[in-house]
Amino acid sequence: MNLERRTKKSSKRSVLVTGGTGYIGSHTVVALIAAGYNPIIADNLSNSKASVLKRIEKITGKLPLFYKIDLRNTTALNKIFQKNSITSVIHFAGFKAVGESVAEPLKYYENNIQSAISLCKVMDRHKVKKIIFSSSASVYGEASANPIKESSATATTNPYAHTKLIIEEILKSVYVADPEWRIALLRYFNPVGAHESGLMGEDPQGIPNNLMPYISQVAVGRHKKVNIFGNDYPTVDGTGVRDYIHVMDLAEGHVAALKKIDTTIFSVPRVINLGTGKGRSVMEILRAFEKASGKVISYRITKRRPGDIAVCYADTKLAKKILGWKTKRNLADMCNDAWRWQSQNPKGY
Ligand code: NAD
Ligand code: UD1
């Protein structure tokens, strides 16, 4: 009887984390374990390495169950649901490079959308109807006002962002067809930083597209200078302003969302921004990273990157109201933790 109750209890907390060996997924797995959940990872390792699993074990004392599968392989996915009592899903898996999505749109539509459809079909077959989806602030495009509210108009400017919006719509349609589904659509702003242990962090393949990993690779000597894409924006110092959020705060935001969908029936799928609500310029980030690393970071001003916007930061009221969650870590934490990870792992995992 006791055993049965225990089994039931532990199975209740099994969460399938797609893309769980990736940057945000792996940090969320750590936060889930800390919160008493049993995360099960499904990832095809197209943009991550299995060695992160040992790091998760080192931090948490628990080696999560891992399945190397492509989510589009519905048969393989079905087997995971047959073997495990999964009750909810956090869906991180997908391609995320904006520039690549412009050059290879079909690759993005095929991978991101087919993965989401395959996942929903298998979830439905197994009556698992709770899902948290990784959406992105990129769905807002150039918003007319900051901070950006969830009710702001969407205006995607590239295929990557468009896949996010399409998947949001797919999930809303799934809910219309079956209101038993509980769906959280989390729109992330700019995730940065690393686990405070320095054991886990962002490990981009090739030259990083994003600012913070580029700066940290300059600090560690992998590149000479940071290219600052324009200093003629209408901002505090002319450089672009973004809402940088510590990846562990983001991870904890997922735990809060999971607790919410475990206990409350959302009347409709909820779109929720996850950000800090503060905008920081490129120069502010660079200076904060110099302070954290004790290194001088060389830079040069280049022309604007096509498609970039001047300013983007979140209105965070809804996250606070619905999830009872807000960020705890500041810019110094983001830079200190990113530097600890980068300096201890100059070549990544
Ligand atoms: P990531 O690339 O580190 O992680 C994504 C993981 O998904 C990778 O491990 C990859 O191997 C896996 N994957 C991709 N396609 C797959 C498939 N068909 N089957 C199985 N696994 C597959 O990216 P991340 O930064 O951790 O982002 C996670 C999610 O959050 C993505 O959906 C991304 O679009 C979204 N997001 C990220 C950011 C960001 O700046 N990092 C911002 C907003 C939204
Ligand atoms: C990028 C994606 C966006 C995604 C977000 C998540 C693009 C165009 N947009 O947003 O869809 O949701 O990541 O994190 O890729 N910068 C430099 N030099 C660099 C890199 C960046 O000056 O080498 C500047 C950019 O102009 C921008 C800021 O730094 O002002 C942040 O850039 P980045 O980290 O790429 O994020 P976003 O462009 O906000």
Side-chain angles (χ1 to χ4, degrees):
M1 183 64 182
N2 268 348
L3 183 68
E4 199 181 306
R5 213 180 282 142
R6 258 208 314 275
T7 312
K8 221 173 159 191
K9 194 178 167 207
S10 73
S11 67
K12 234 184 181 174
R13 291 168 163 265
S14 289
V15 184
L16 180 70
V17 184
T18 77
T21 45
Y23 172 47
I24 305 170
S26 57
H27 289 79
T28 303
V29 165
V30 167
L32 286 168
I33 295 171
Y37 287 92
N38 174 39
I40 296 168
I41 299 175
D43 198 301
N44 64 2
L45 302 179
S46 58
N47 197 38
S48 54
K49 297 192 184 110
S51 50
V52 72
L53 297 166
K54 286 272 174 215
R55 306 290 181 99
I56 294 172
E57 186 182 26
K58 217 166 171 184
I59 292 168
T60 64
K62 192 174 178 249
L63 186 65
L65 196 52
F66 170 64
Y67 293 94
K68 183 174 183 270
I69 65 148
D70 191 302
L71 283 191
R72 289 168 293 173
N73 183 344
T74 310
T75 312
L77 190 57
N78 192 49
K79 281 194 189 133
I80 300 180
F81 279 79
Q82 275 169 350
K83 283 192 189 145
N84 300 281
S85 303
I86 292 163
T87 54
S88 45
V89 175
I90 308 183
H91 179 40
F92 291 106
F95 294 151
K96 64 166 182 177
V98 171
E100 188 184 49
S101 82
V102 175
E104 297 183 69
L106 298 181
K107 178 175 166 182
Y108 273 68
Y109 287 113
E110 182 176 54
N111 189 52
N112 292 4
I113 293 168
Q114 285 187 8
S115 293
I117 293 174
S118 170
L119 178 63
C120 289
K121 277 166 71 176
V122 175
M123 287 176 69
D124 201 44
R125 192 177 301 161
H126 292 270
K127 302 204 175 348
V128 177
K129 298 182 182 179
K130 289 184 267 185
I131 185 167
I132 295 173
F133 171 59
S134 299
S135 191
S136 162
S138 62
V139 301
Y140 296 116
E142 179 127 47
S144 55
N146 279 283
I148 303 175
K149 286 188 184 1
E150 289 80 354
S151 56
S152 296
T154 54
T156 57
T157 56
N158 56 71
Y160 161 72
H162 205 47
T163 66
K164 292 291 168 192
L165 213 48
I166 292 170
I167 297 167
E168 286 191 8
E169 291 303 324
I170 290 172
L171 288 168
K172 287 177 187 169
S173 303
V174 164
Y175 171 81
V176 170
D178 178 358
E180 275 184 18
W181 279 72
R182 299 183 201 175
I183 299 169
L185 308 169
L186 305 182
R187 292 180 178 164
Y188 315 154
F189 282 66
N190 291 53
V192 296
H195 188 265
E196 63 180 10
S197 62
L199 287 167
M200 283 171 45
E202 190 168 8
D203 183 20
Q205 309 302 301
I207 297 169
N209 297 310
N210 298 116
L211 180 66
M212 183 75 102
Y214 201 99
I215 290 180
S216 58
Q217 290 193 5
V218 170
V220 87
R222 285 173 67 174
H223 310 287
K224 284 207 170 74
K225 281 179 197 310
V226 177
N227 295 307
I228 296 185
F229 299 147
N231 64 352
D232 56 352
Y233 285 106
T235 61
V236 57
D237 55 23
T239 64
V241 166
R242 297 291 184 275
D243 186 339
Y244 297 91
I245 172 171
H246 195 295
V247 67
M248 286 309 297
D249 275 331
L250 189 63
E252 288 161 13
H254 288 75
V255 174
L258 195 57
K259 284 185 180 153
K260 196 72 192 175
I261 62 171
D262 268 342
T263 53
T264 323
I265 298 174
F266 282 6
S267 51
V268 286
R270 297 308 299 249
V271 170
I272 304 170
N273 286 340
L274 296 186
T276 64
K278 281 196 198 80
R280 306 282 192 175
S281 76
V282 174
M283 280 311 295
E284 282 179 275
I285 300 296
L286 192 135
R287 295 295 179 219
F289 207 92
E290 284 187 323
K291 206 165 169 197
S293 62
K295 305 264 179 193
V296 173
I297 316 269
S298 305
Y299 66 89
R300 66 171 159 241
I301 308 291
T302 65
K303 58 181 193 306
R304 291 180 177 190
R305 180 170 64 179
D308 268 356
I309 54 176
V311 181
C312 170
Y313 58 94
D315 186 309
T316 59
K317 288 191 203 78
L318 198 64
K320 213 187 230 173
K321 188 174 154 205
I322 295 185
L323 307 179
W325 166 91
K326 63 179 169 64
T327 57
K328 292 190 224 149
R329 296 156 178 94
N330 61 23
L331 181 57
D333 299 323
M334 298 178 211
C335 294
N336 287 332
D337 294 341
W339 176 241
R340 195 173 301 111
W341 153 253
Q342 189 70 70
S343 54
Q344 289 176 13
N345 305 269
K347 295 200 170 142
Y349 288 108

